[in-house]
Amino acid sequence: MNTLPFTEKSQVAPSWSPWSRSESRVVAFRINPENQFGAPTEYCDARDFQAHLRSRDNSTRAVYILEGLAPDFTAVASDYFQLHPSVFANHHRLVAFSGRTTGEGGGLPFLPSSIQGRRHVSFKYHEALAVSPRPTCFRNLCQAAGRHIMATRMSGVFSEVMIARRKCTVWSRKTEDGGWDCLIICDPPIRRILTDFSGRQGFDVAVSPYNGGYPDFAPHEDQIGDLSGPPLTSLLDDLCFYIRYHSARLDLDDPLCAIMFVEKILASHFMKVAEFVESTIEKMQWSLSRRNDLSCFTLASAEEQWSDVQAWERRVAEFKRDLRGVMLQLRIAPGDLELDQPGSMGASAADYRFLHVRFTEIGQLISSLNGSIASLVGIAGSRSALKAQELSLDMTNRSIRDAKNIKALTILGLIFIPFSYTASLFSMADSYSPGSSSFWIYFAVSLPLTGLSALGYWILTKLSERRDHVTA
């Protein structure tokens, strides 16, 4: 085996791409001569991991949990286990939109019929996390993996709960002399969120499981005897807990024995996501119910809620697709729930069938809510149109009042202008001044002129009204 080159951390390029800033670690569980898993060994340096692999023999049975896709660790694992390139390519591939700067593709990255000829399975799942500080925009990426982290907006305010896209890949093989290897690849915890694809803008975060995290799925007698539960800090840490304290229920002759814990943990994460989505839908439905007046919902706020519901409809559809992808690779067909025997962790078919039904019902709830929000948008739009009509009517009434005032001024002008004109005309001679013998001529001329002006104004008004009537 050739010694692979390693890149010093000080020489890592400053530009960002998925996994370019990832620090990996490996935890190894080896089965001892007593046919039990021994204490785990953690490797944070790829050289130590490579030295460990060189020292083992073909009869070794071991589970290796790799967190992150740092190039030095993936090079060691790929070289020793002779991994097909699709193992890491499928783990890298994730989001539903292609052509992203992150390099992620979308959908199930292989034909369902090709599952039979593969040594690995790649599960895409989602994890609900409480993040502090809370996000301020919708573009949020995990700095390590480059995977999108969904932000949720409620009534114009971003929630502290985010849903992270995650991935878990399981590969196994049998070796000579009865040995076997199982490699589990999982994503690291989220410690920093990027808000652009360049990697320059972002913020450090503290994350915790949503609503306390998923409950321990081990049988109660095991929980009472152990008096502890999974740490809920990362998939690697949770797997280490179950392998260390609950491996007695595994068939250690099967290289895929540990996949049962993977199935259960992923199903538990899907369950918490369903819990959060249902809680969000209930809050939105509650805000619309038991109201005597919907005037508090402006057109802008109603349109914002409609847009948020569209996002949830798209997300739930993605959750269902990913859930079906997991079921397909686990060879679980949708159907009736069949519970295993009490007191056994058993298979996960019933868990995933129940989740499939639950997310289907959630999708129906969101479709119903979508119709309600659309009706609310219509109500808010009608109210805005009514307000606009009332404003237009008020402006029309003001115009009518102004026109009446102008008409009154016009009439006053018709009365006084002839008198003013006549006074100016006869002011050229003293015989027409007040008190003179010819002063009566002033009224004899002014009054007919006033009547003639009023008659002309009346004729013009009637002609205008008739013209408007014909045009209408």
Side-chain angles (χ1 to χ4, degrees):
M1 185 184 306
N2 296 328
T3 302
L4 299 176
F6 298 97
T7 302
E8 297 293 339
K9 293 182 180 180
S10 60
Q11 297 177 355
V12 175
S15 59
W16 178 82
S17 62
W19 304 110
S20 63
R21 301 177 186 175
S22 171
E23 294 184 358
S24 295
R25 57 172 176 155
V26 173
V27 175
F29 285 91
R30 301 177 65 175
I31 298 178
N32 56 32
E34 290 77 21
N35 202 35
Q36 297 177 347
F37 277 108
T41 304
E42 183 172 333
Y43 302 96
C44 296
D45 191 305
R47 296 184 182 88
D48 297 334
F49 180 47
Q50 186 181 56
H52 160 74
L53 294 176
R54 286 179 173 180
S55 66
R56 48 167 287 165
D57 54 47
N58 290 332
S59 63
T60 300
R61 292 177 293 172
V63 174
Y64 297 97
I65 308 175
L66 170 62
E67 184 179 79
L69 293 181
D72 47 1
F73 276 91
T74 57
V76 170
S78 179
D79 178 70
Y80 180 82
F81 297 116
Q82 295 298 298
L83 299 176
H84 191 275
S86 62
V87 174
F88 295 115
N90 292 160
H91 189 86
H92 187 282
R93 183 183 176 101
L94 186 60
V95 301
F97 297 99
S98 60
R100 293 292 196 188
T101 307
T102 58
E104 300 170 318
L108 199 65
F110 48 83
L111 291 173
S113 59
S114 65
I115 294 177
Q116 301 292 340
R118 294 158 53 92
R119 284 186 175 180
H120 73 279
V121 289
S122 292
F123 304 129
K124 178 187 172 186
Y125 67 102
H126 301 264
E127 184 178 3
L129 300 168
V131 178
S132 178
R134 66 180 62 202
T136 57
C137 64
F138 288 106
R139 178 177 292 176
N140 301 279
L141 306 173
C142 172
Q143 178 179 259
R147 309 198 197 281
H148 180 65
I149 308 173
M150 306 176 190
T152 302
R153 185 176 60 185
M154 285 287 295
S155 301
V157 179
F158 282 96
S159 170
E160 65 175 2
V161 180
M162 306 182 72
I163 300 178
R165 291 187 177 118
R166 312 291 266 167
K167 201 73 177 279
C168 179
T169 301
V170 182
W171 172 91
S172 66
R173 70 173 181 180
K174 289 186 177 181
T175 59
E176 300 176 0
D177 302 327
W180 53 258
D181 297 309
C182 179
L183 176 65
I184 302 176
I185 308 172
C186 52
D187 288 349
I190 299 174
R191 296 186 174 91
R192 182 172 176 81
I193 292 178
L194 302 179
T195 54
D196 67 344
F197 292 119
S198 67
R200 291 188 295 268
Q201 299 180 7
F203 55 97
D204 296 332
V205 294
V207 299
S208 59
Y210 164 69
N211 205 16
Y214 64 86
D216 190 357
F217 50 77
H220 282 182
E221 59 267 23
D222 292 359
Q223 296 182 31
I224 295 174
D226 185 53
L227 296 179
S228 64
L232 305 176
T233 51
S234 68
L235 180 57
L236 182 145
D237 294 336
D238 292 355
L239 285 173
C240 289
F241 167 81
Y242 282 107
I243 292 175
R244 188 169 186 179
Y245 297 105
H246 299 285
S247 60
R249 298 181 177 273
L250 302 180
D251 179 10
L252 300 186
D253 292 329
D254 183 5
L256 283 176
C257 59
I259 199 174
M260 182 186 71
F261 296 140
V262 175
E263 296 173 13
K264 292 290 186 180
I265 293 174
L266 268 56
S268 299
H269 282 307
F270 272 111
M271 188 73 74
K272 297 302 293 185
V273 170
E275 178 184 326
F276 172 66
V277 175
E278 287 179 336
S279 173
T280 303
I281 295 173
E282 289 177 357
K283 290 179 181 178
M284 299 183 74
Q285 289 177 327
W286 180 84
S287 66
L288 299 176
S289 62
R290 298 182 179 179
R291 289 185 176 272
N292 297 325
D293 185 9
L294 296 176
S295 59
C296 60
F297 295 99
T298 63
L299 181 59
S301 63
E303 289 176 342
E304 181 183 89
Q305 288 199 33
W306 180 85
S307 178
D308 293 339
V309 171
Q310 303 308 304
W312 274 119
E313 195 167 25
R314 173 176 53 82
R315 291 176 181 178
V316 171
E318 180 185 353
F319 299 156
K320 290 177 61 179
R321 286 194 302 269
D322 298 335
L323 187 61
R324 287 195 295 266
V326 174
M327 295 173 67
L328 179 65
Q329 296 181 83
L330 294 177
R331 296 169 176 80
I332 299 175
D336 297 332
L337 301 180
E338 297 180 1
L339 299 179
D340 299 305
Q341 296 180 355
S344 172
M345 279 190 272
S348 303
D351 302 329
Y352 283 94
R353 285 171 180 156
F354 171 75
L355 286 169
H356 188 267
V357 172
R358 188 172 183 181
F359 276 104
T360 300
E361 293 175 349
I362 291 175
Q364 294 172 351
L365 285 175
I366 291 181
S367 297
S368 176
L369 180 61
N370 191 12
S372 300
I373 298 296
S375 299
L376 178 63
V377 172
I379 294 173
S382 299
R383 185 183 297 110
S384 298
L386 179 60
K387 289 182 178 180
Q389 291 177 358
E390 292 176 350
L391 180 61
S392 176
L393 180 61
D394 182 62
M395 294 180 64
T396 301
N397 292 333
R398 290 184 180 181
S399 300
I400 292 174
R401 288 195 299 269
D402 292 341
K404 290 181 178 179
N405 294 333
I406 293 174
K407 183 177 181 180
L409 292 175
T410 303
I411 293 174
L412 290 176
L414 288 175
I415 295 173
F416 287 101
I417 287 176
F419 284 90
S420 299
Y421 172 75
T422 306
S424 300
L425 181 64
F426 288 101
S427 63
M428 294 183 298
D430 293 338
S431 59
Y432 300 103
S433 61
S436 302
S437 58
S438 300
F439 181 65
W440 62 273
I441 299 177
Y442 167 74
F443 292 100
V445 175
S446 299
L447 291 176
L449 287 176
T450 301
L452 183 61
S453 299
L455 178 63
Y457 175 76
W458 180 80
I459 293 173
L460 292 175
T461 302
K462 290 299 180 180
L463 290 175
S464 178
E465 291 178 353
R466 183 177 298 177
R467 184 168 53 254
D468 294 340
H469 179 71
V470 172
T471 302

